[in-house]
Amino acid sequence: MRPPRWIPFLALLAAVCLATACRESGIQTDAIAAQAADAASLPNKAGSFKFAVLGDFGVGAKTQYQLADQMATLHDRFTYGTVVLVGDNMYGGERPQDFKAKFEKPYKPLLDAGVKFYASLGNHDAREQRYYKPFNMDGQLYYTFSPTADVRFFALESTYMVPEQVAWLEKELKASSSKWKLVFLHHPLYSSGERHGSDTLLKEALEPLFVKYDVSVVLTGHDHFYERVKPQKDITYFVVGSGGKLRSGNIDRGTGLTAKGFDTDLAFMAAEIDGDQMYFNTISRTGQVVDSGVLAARKPLSP
Amino acid sequence: MPSPDARRLLLVGLLGIVSSGCRDKDVPPPPPATAESPAAAPSTKRVVGPLSDADAKALKTMNDRMKSYLEIHTKLEAGLPELPKDPSPEQIDKNQRLFEQKMRAARASAKRGEIFTPEAETVIKRLLAAVFTTSQGKELMASIMDEYPAGLKLTVNGRYPDAIPVSTVPPEILQTLPKLPEDMEYRFIGRHMILLDTHAHVIADLIENALPKL
């Protein structure tokens, strides 16, 4: 007996529904993610602004070095000039030898190539890091820099959000006419971390400013995995606390926040801003692209 | 002719109408400072409730003690070898530890309560309790207790342990407590609050069980 004709259509419909459900719940297999990555690799255009994001990395362990090797490998074919650090740059001791073992040695190829690292401080970081030249903080706990006319970064100190810092941020965001405003700080306003999760107190203080002044992307760490959060009020939030310490299986899939999560290995993010678009890849310790996509710059709310 | 009592009532009523009209039209004036802050600190913009004269006096005494601490801090820091423009980690570390030694030696006899006087401690505990009785109390506590290093022994004039992360101090608390100069910070270790000299890495003073039990 021949099966009814509608069975293949039903199977197709079920497959489409399943894929949609997986995408919406943020649960993707590595195979699906890898296919998506192939389809949306970085354009690597001449003249675009290329950068990487790294967080919670300074442990000095072999796995940190392996991820650092992946960063150097990528740099060979995708010449980014900036790395943004989202805090917890140094775990444990911060003696001079720690700066060597946990930063200068693993990232030596990048430092030698002239890549500039810009740090924000996490709860494990001593205040003296702001004087450490390779972190380019110029002695400041919070600061801003603009690598190109279209792009401006704002680095915040999220363990001690004094009112002056919030006022400073508002002044700087307001004054900036850059098409791309990206904020980086340690504590995530949104995160599905079972260990830490979203910092709602910080969200109350900062999110209204991000919305009002057209911040497009917020880069954070603290939770030791990678997560791209579904856009919140049109802003894309990333958790990139996967640079050295891994909290395996720590993403709570029930938060409904996750657009894509990766909590089975270390990872860093590479990104490219070209005009109105920002392309990104997230690359694991083994060189797998575990997430990728394209974001659009937010348009100003008011003329 | 209205009686004196009636005139007084009329005057109070008129003042009430005028003041409510002003409130509707104008931006309300900023609340008074929580306490007089050290000269190096910006003025406070928010308070939790009005402070009595006794409270204000207690916080003023605390700030005066802090000023004295800062005088020592500033003097000793100025006497350190000057760091080059781009210091190495060795130079930064050496300078920092030298500063810690000098600071601790200068306050060798320091005791708990010298800056957070008993009177100031009472006011600070009350200010903190007021913040924690809001609907956000549990979130505030969770934020502070995140990565709390249990079993840590705290000593006034001791070095803050290098490998221990610092607590988050939520914006709500920083808006409520008296302002500190840039070199000093409030931090929590469990329910205890310390006054941390961030340059010297020294615990300048502490309040035990500063946070309320929720």
Side-chain angles (χ1 to χ4, degrees):
Chain A
M1 184 179 147
R2 285 181 62 188
R5 281 186 185 176
W6 49 266
I7 284 185
F9 292 106
L10 189 65
L12 182 64
L13 184 65
V16 169
C17 288
L18 184 65
T20 307
C22 282
R23 217 173 24 249
E24 285 180 356
S25 66
I27 301 167
Q28 294 186 0
T29 64
D30 282 348
I32 294 171
Q35 283 168 16
D38 290 343
S41 58
L42 299 166
N44 203 5
K45 282 189 187 172
S48 65
F49 172 66
K50 303 172 184 71
F51 68 104
V53 185
L54 183 68
D56 303 72
F57 58 92
V59 289
K62 187 179 170 187
T63 47
Q64 181 197 350
Y65 278 65
Q66 288 168 336
L67 187 70
D69 289 345
Q70 291 295 345
M71 293 179 75
T73 302
L74 178 72
H75 187 263
D76 291 341
R77 57 190 162 84
F78 177 76
T79 315
Y80 54 91
T82 298
V83 179
V84 163
L85 304 176
V86 294
D88 281 3
N89 312 314
M90 212 72 65
Y91 287 97
E94 299 201 14
R95 301 301 292 245
Q97 58 268 33
D98 292 306
F99 282 83
K100 286 189 173 62
K102 299 170 187 173
F103 181 72
E104 290 169 13
K105 274 176 74 177
Y107 308 108
K108 187 174 188 306
L110 297 176
L111 290 164
D112 288 349
V115 174
K116 289 186 86 174
F117 290 73
Y118 291 88
S120 59
L121 300 186
N123 54 317
H124 285 263
D125 296 318
R127 290 290 198 258
E128 283 71 35
Q129 287 185 22
R130 67 183 137 156
Y131 305 117
Y132 178 51
K133 179 66 183 164
F135 283 174
N136 288 295
M137 297 177 76
D138 202 22
Q140 305 298 316
L141 293 172
Y142 46 90
Y143 61 99
T144 177
F145 69 98
S146 179
T148 72
D150 276 354
V151 179
R152 180 166 283 279
F153 286 95
F154 303 84
L156 302 181
E157 203 291 282
S158 57
T159 74
Y160 208 76
M161 192 58 69
V162 283
E164 294 72 35
Q165 185 178 183
V166 179
W168 169 87
L169 178 65
E170 173 153 32
K171 181 174 141 276
E172 293 294 334
L173 285 172
K174 193 175 180 181
S176 170
S177 56
S178 293
K179 186 183 289 178
W180 284 92
K181 296 178 189 176
L182 301 96
V183 174
F184 63 106
L185 70 166
H186 186 59
H187 289 81
L189 277 62
Y190 292 95
S191 164
S192 298
E194 286 177 352
R195 178 71 178 81
H196 299 298
S198 305
D199 192 322
T200 52
L201 302 168
L202 214 48
K203 186 163 68 188
E204 274 181 29
L206 299 178
E207 189 178 48
L209 299 182
F210 295 171
V211 172
K212 184 175 180 184
Y213 296 108
D214 310 309
V215 170
S216 294
V217 173
V218 179
L219 305 160
T220 67
H222 199 42
D223 269 317
H224 295 169
F225 51 65
Y226 167 79
E227 182 181 25
R228 173 164 52 89
V229 174
K230 289 175 187 171
Q232 302 292 322
K233 298 181 182 167
D234 210 21
I235 299 169
T236 301
Y237 291 80
F238 290 91
V239 180
V240 197
S242 49
K245 276 198 167 188
L246 178 70
R247 205 162 278 133
S248 188
N250 198 244
I251 295 178
D252 175 1
R253 305 283 179 179
T255 62
L257 289 173
T258 314
K260 171 65 188 172
F262 179 70
D263 60 1
T264 54
D265 204 346
L266 301 183
F268 73 98
M269 204 174 129
E272 179 173 1
I273 291 178
D274 183 39
D276 288 336
Q277 293 186 307
M278 178 177 132
Y279 302 82
F280 64 90
N281 274 187
T282 301
I283 299 164
S284 78
R285 184 178 57 92
T286 57
Q288 254 197 313
V289 177
V290 295
D291 188 23
S292 64
V294 188
L295 307 172
R298 282 182 65 210
K299 303 287 181 214
L301 288 174
S302 50
Chain B
M1 176 121 180
S3 68
D5 280 352
R7 272 185 299 191
R8 204 174 295 130
L9 273 173
L10 186 65
L11 185 63
V12 169
L14 277 172
L15 280 172
I17 291 165
V18 169
S19 83
S20 73
C22 287
R23 268 201 302 277
D24 288 342
K25 283 178 189 167
D26 302 327
V27 177
T34 301
E36 187 192 337
S37 299
S43 60
T44 307
K45 285 183 183 165
R46 181 180 158 182
V47 295
V48 172
L51 291 174
S52 67
D53 288 349
D55 292 347
K57 191 179 166 192
L59 294 184
K60 185 180 181 314
T61 305
M62 178 188 116
N63 283 325
D64 288 344
R65 302 280 182 91
M66 188 110 58
K67 281 179 194 168
S68 303
Y69 178 94
L70 280 169
E71 279 170 19
I72 301 169
H73 170 110
T74 307
K75 187 180 164 194
L76 293 178
E77 195 164 38
L80 294 173
E82 198 173 335
L83 283 173
K85 190 170 172 282
D86 296 331
S88 67
E90 287 83 358
Q91 290 166 318
I92 295 170
D93 188 63
K94 195 176 166 189
N95 239 33
Q96 195 287 311
R97 285 175 194 277
L98 181 61
F99 186 33
E100 176 217 334
Q101 285 169 17
K102 285 178 179 284
M103 205 59 221
R104 291 177 65 186
R107 296 184 74 232
S109 59
K111 288 183 182 62
R112 189 166 94 77
E114 283 188 358
I115 299 172
F116 292 139
T117 60
E119 295 78 14
E121 180 175 322
T122 305
V123 180
I124 283 178
K125 280 184 174 174
R126 204 168 63 240
L127 290 172
L128 288 170
V131 182
F132 279 84
T133 51
T134 64
S135 58
Q136 291 181 315
K138 284 190 174 167
E139 284 173 57
L140 288 163
M141 193 64 87
S143 177
I144 289 168
M145 294 298 177
D146 183 28
E147 297 193 40
Y148 154 53
L152 190 67
K153 199 176 174 195
L154 302 173
T155 320
V156 171
N157 206 33
R159 182 177 175 89
Y160 186 88
D162 289 342
I164 300 297
V166 289
S167 70
T168 298
V169 185
E172 289 75 5
I173 290 177
L174 293 170
Q175 287 164 354
T176 300
L177 294 179
K179 297 273 179 180
L180 295 177
E182 191 254 338
D183 304 358
M184 310 295 287
E185 289 179 354
Y186 301 109
R187 295 284 181 179
F188 295 94
I189 296 178
R191 288 178 56 224
H192 311 309
M193 187 174 87
I194 62 169
L195 179 64
L196 182 64
D197 182 332
T198 62
H199 291 194
H201 288 213
V202 165
I203 298 172
D205 205 351
L206 68 94
I207 297 178
E208 287 182 354
N209 299 315
L211 297 182
K213 278 187 182 168
L214 293 185

